[in-house]
Amino acid sequence: MANHHGSEGLVRVGANTVAEVTGFSFTASAEYAEDTTLSDTAKTYNTTAITSWSGSVTAFWDETDTSGQVAMAPGANVSLVLAPEGVDSGDTRYSGNALITEITRNVQRGAITEITFNFIGNGTLTSATS
C-alpha cells in the first residue's frame, strides 16, 4: 500500500505553481435522480449521474504571486491543477476549470497571515498521471 506525505503536493493555476501553499482539499461527488415508482418496494435511481467537485486551497498570503494567488480572485474561472503527489513521472493529478467562490484571510498576532480560496468545479474533474 502506498502512502504519500503532504510535502509532495502542489497546486497550479494553469501552468503556474501557486506560491506558499500549506494545504488543499477537494471532494468529488455524483448526484443521481430517483426513479422509484409507487409499486417499488425499495428506492431506485437512474444510473446517469451528474458529477460535481469543490474544495479549498490554503496558503501563506503572498500578494506578489500574480499568476497564482492573485489570479484566484472571487468570481475568477481558473484552470486548476491539484497534485497531491506532486508532478513527478507517474504521479496522479486532478484538473479542471474552477470558479473561485470565496477568499478568507486569517490574520493573527504572532502568526503568518493565511489565505484560503474556496472553489467549485465548472465542468468535469479529470484525473491523469504525469
Side-chain angles (χ1 to χ4, degrees), residues 32-48:
Y32 295 91
E34 184 178 342
D35 63 3
T36 308
T37 65
L38 289 175
S39 62
D40 288 337
T41 59
K43 286 187 176 185
T44 58
Y45 296 86
N46 183 293
T47 58
T48 302

Side-chain angles (χ1 to χ4, degrees), residues 78-127:
V78 297
S79 174
L80 197 60
V81 177
L82 304 165
E85 299 178 79
V87 291
D88 293 334
S89 180
D91 289 349
T92 301
R93 65 183 181 282
Y94 302 88
S95 61
N97 288 330
L99 298 170
I100 306 303
T101 58
E102 182 179 58
I103 295 176
T104 303
R105 288 178 180 84
N106 185 12
V107 181
Q108 294 186 9
R109 183 177 56 86
I112 307 253
T113 299
E114 291 183 323
I115 188 166
T116 300
F117 304 91
N118 293 320
F119 59 85
I120 56 173
N122 187 18
T124 303
L125 178 66
T126 60
S127 174

Side-chain angles (χ1 to χ4, degrees), residues 21-36:
V21 171
T22 59
F24 63 90
S25 65
F26 62 101
T27 302
S29 59
E31 181 180 329
Y32 295 91
E34 184 178 342
D35 63 3
T36 308

